[in-house]
């Protein structure tokens, strides 16, 4: 009996592998999403909720740039009666990011991967009535956007694993032995400091930058105030401006730093994520940044991996998201973290 069960599992796994192997490549621009919904539902409160979520501003940017490039595709009928599989929807079947919204007896937010293409993420949101759908989606807003954003960041990481700057990894290893990071190949300029590395493109627009630094841990949980204080101290020493009295610092309004903190668990490691705006003290420059900080209890220090962007004339979302993927690739061998 046991041998038969093992054989069955092997056969199922074999079928699954053969099925996924023949799936076509998914299509769609970065952060482009297809919303499939019956025409009669895309109205009123539900439409307002969906638009607020999917067309809402990307967090941490100085101006409005929508979270996603949205395509609204009307389905004929409902999920249960085949209305989402009509001939006119065939072109959207292999779209990389798909959100299917409909009424049904159960309230749920279901996620499936690689349904008709690879890579692909499909979310099905259902509830008994349009108002309940709107309420559920509003309540699950962060979870919903995270599903799609994380999928795109994973795709960016795969691309970086195939093509990245080896020079920056080499420079990082000189600052932090046995460390590597995958950043875009355009980051060619570098600067080393004490427990510090900067790498950047040095462009006047669409400028991307990576920063790594560490500082002693005081034994307390990470806090925004502490991270901002150390960030400004590190940047003042290592990223000065061209004139005396100029250096990079965290932007503030009424004395409060313009940052959005969030605790994140990535690959089973706890981070404090910080999105915000930077500015050049006594200068005209500025832009968005995103940083991940974690505690290295073995060495009693805090490790920070950060990306920041200067792009006054071009959209910043794709540049920031690519750097967000890059900072997640930081890896230090034999590193005990908490």
């Amino acid at each position: 009996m046991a041998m038969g069960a093992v054989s069955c599992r092997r056969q199922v796994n074999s079928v699954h592998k053969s099925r996924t192997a023949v799936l076509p490549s998914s299509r769609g621009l970065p952060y482009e999403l297809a919303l499939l919904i019956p025409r009669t539902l895309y109205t009123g409160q539900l439409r307002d909720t969906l638009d607020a979520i999917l067309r809402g501003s990307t967090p941490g940017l100085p101006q409005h740039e929508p979270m996603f490039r949205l395509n609204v595709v009307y389905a004929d009928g409902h999920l249960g009666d085949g209305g989402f599989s009509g001939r006119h929807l065939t072109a959207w079947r292999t779209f990389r990011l798909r959100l299917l919204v409909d009424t049904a007896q159960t309230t749920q937010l279901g996620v499936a991967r690689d349904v008709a293409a690879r890579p692909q993420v499909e979310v099905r949101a259902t509830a008994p009535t349009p108002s309940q759908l709107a309420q559920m989606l509003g309540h699950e807003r962060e979870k919903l956007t995270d599903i799609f954003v994380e999928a795109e960041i994973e795709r960016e990481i795969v691309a970086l694993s195939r093509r990245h700057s080896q020079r920056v990894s080499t420079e990082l290893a000189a600052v932090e032995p046995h460390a590597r990071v995958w950043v875009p190949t355009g980051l060619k300029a570098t600067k080393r400091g004490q427990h510090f590395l900067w790498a950047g493109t040095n462009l006047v627009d669409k400028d991307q930058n990576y920063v790594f630094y560490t500082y002693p841990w005081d034994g307390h949980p990470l806090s925004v105030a502490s991270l901002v204080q150390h960030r400004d101290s590190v940047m003042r020493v290592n990223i000065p401006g061209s004139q005396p009295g100029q250096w990079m610092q965290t932007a503030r309004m009424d004395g409060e730093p313009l940052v959005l903190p969030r605790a994140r668990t990535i690959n089973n490691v706890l981070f404090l994520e910080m999105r915000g705006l930077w500015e050049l003290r006594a200068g005209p420059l500025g832009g968005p940044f995103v940083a991940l900080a974690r505690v290295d209890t073995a060495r009693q220090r805090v490790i920070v991996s950060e990306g920041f962007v200067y792009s006054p004339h071009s959209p910043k979302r794709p540049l920031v998201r690519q750097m967000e993927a890059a900072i997640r690739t930081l890896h230090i061998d034999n590193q005990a973290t908490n």
Side-chain angles (χ1 to χ4, degrees):
M1 186 72 175
M3 291 179 63
V6 170
S7 175
C8 179
R9 283 198 297 270
R10 287 177 178 170
Q11 185 177 4
V12 169
N13 288 338
S14 176
V15 170
H16 176 72
K17 288 179 180 178
S18 65
R19 175 181 174 274
T20 57
V22 298
L23 286 176
S25 297
S26 58
R27 65 184 188 88
L29 297 173
Y31 297 93
E32 187 175 17
L33 186 148
L35 167 63
L36 282 72
I37 185 171
R39 188 184 298 272
T40 55
L41 285 184
Y42 194 56
T43 184
Q45 181 188 5
L46 181 56
R47 177 171 183 161
D48 291 343
T49 300
L50 285 166
D51 285 355
I53 296 171
L54 303 177
R55 302 185 199 267
S57 296
T58 301
L61 300 186
Q63 75 284 318
H64 171 71
E65 291 185 39
M67 289 278 285
F68 305 100
R69 179 188 178 99
L70 184 63
N71 300 282
V72 180
V73 185
Y74 295 117
D76 296 328
H78 297 276
L79 274 169
D81 58 20
F84 280 64
S85 57
R87 182 175 299 177
H88 72 292
L89 299 180
T90 301
W92 302 96
R93 182 169 169 75
T94 58
F95 222 70
R96 188 167 60 250
L97 305 181
R98 287 164 45 100
L99 172 60
L100 282 58
V101 177
D102 200 2
T103 52
Q105 291 301 312
T106 56
T107 300
Q108 64 178 359
L109 199 66
V111 183
R113 292 181 179 270
D114 301 344
V115 176
R118 301 178 67 186
Q120 186 182 56
V121 173
E122 180 179 284
V123 175
R124 294 191 173 210
T126 61
T129 66
S131 62
Q132 288 174 306
L133 257 173
Q135 184 178 10
M136 183 269 287
L137 288 167
H139 184 263
E140 300 288 357
R141 175 174 186 159
E142 186 173 77
K143 178 180 178 181
L144 178 62
T145 55
D146 274 354
I147 291 169
F148 292 122
V149 170
E150 289 296 313
E152 289 294 84
I153 288 178
E154 288 174 13
R155 184 182 57 82
E156 293 270 19
I157 291 174
V158 170
L160 287 170
S161 72
R162 295 169 178 163
R163 189 167 185 267
H164 55 269
S165 171
Q166 185 57 51
R167 176 182 176 180
V168 173
S169 269
T170 301
E171 289 289 301
L172 177 61
V175 172
E176 179 69 31
H178 311 295
R180 63 100 169 130
V181 69
W182 296 333
V183 302
T185 56
L187 278 71
K188 298 178 180 178
T190 59
K191 176 185 177 180
R192 280 187 263 163
Q194 186 175 15
H195 310 298
F196 173 91
L197 175 72
W198 164 83
T201 56
N202 271 348
L203 300 175
V204 296
D205 194 42
K206 298 183 179 180
D207 181 42
Q208 293 176 296
N209 301 263
Y210 174 75
V211 174
F212 166 89
Y213 60 92
T214 68
Y215 60 86
W217 181 43
D218 61 9
H220 295 98
L222 295 181
S223 68
V224 173
S226 175
L227 283 176
V228 169
Q229 176 188 348
H230 283 94
R231 181 182 188 275
D232 288 350
S233 176
V234 167
M235 300 305 182
R236 179 173 183 172
V237 172
N238 293 285
I239 307 185
S242 59
Q243 302 296 323
Q246 291 184 335
W247 57 81
M248 173 187 269
Q249 64 183 15
T250 308
R252 288 171 167 78
M253 179 178 289
D254 298 329
E256 292 297 319
L258 295 175
V259 297
L260 298 171
R262 184 181 177 189
R264 304 292 300 271
T265 300
I266 304 171
N267 296 328
N268 298 318
V269 178
L270 180 62
F271 292 87
L272 182 56
E273 176 191 272
M274 193 165 65
R275 299 178 184 276
L277 300 179
W278 65 271
E279 64 184 7
L280 181 66
R281 182 181 183 273
L285 309 182
F289 75 89
V290 57
L292 289 174
R294 71 180 190 264
V295 175
D296 173 6
T297 54
R299 299 184 186 180
Q300 294 293 292
R301 62 179 182 167
V302 176
I303 301 173
V304 181
S305 187
E306 174 179 322
F308 68 89
V309 165
Y310 176 66
S311 188
H313 306 300
S314 303
K316 301 167 183 61
R317 186 197 68 192
L319 302 172
V320 172
R321 291 299 193 192
Q322 188 178 42
M323 292 311 302
E324 184 175 354
I327 67 177
R328 293 194 186 192
T329 69
L330 174 67
H331 176 75
I332 303 175
D333 289 341
N334 302 319
Q335 182 64 58
T337 60
N338 183 17

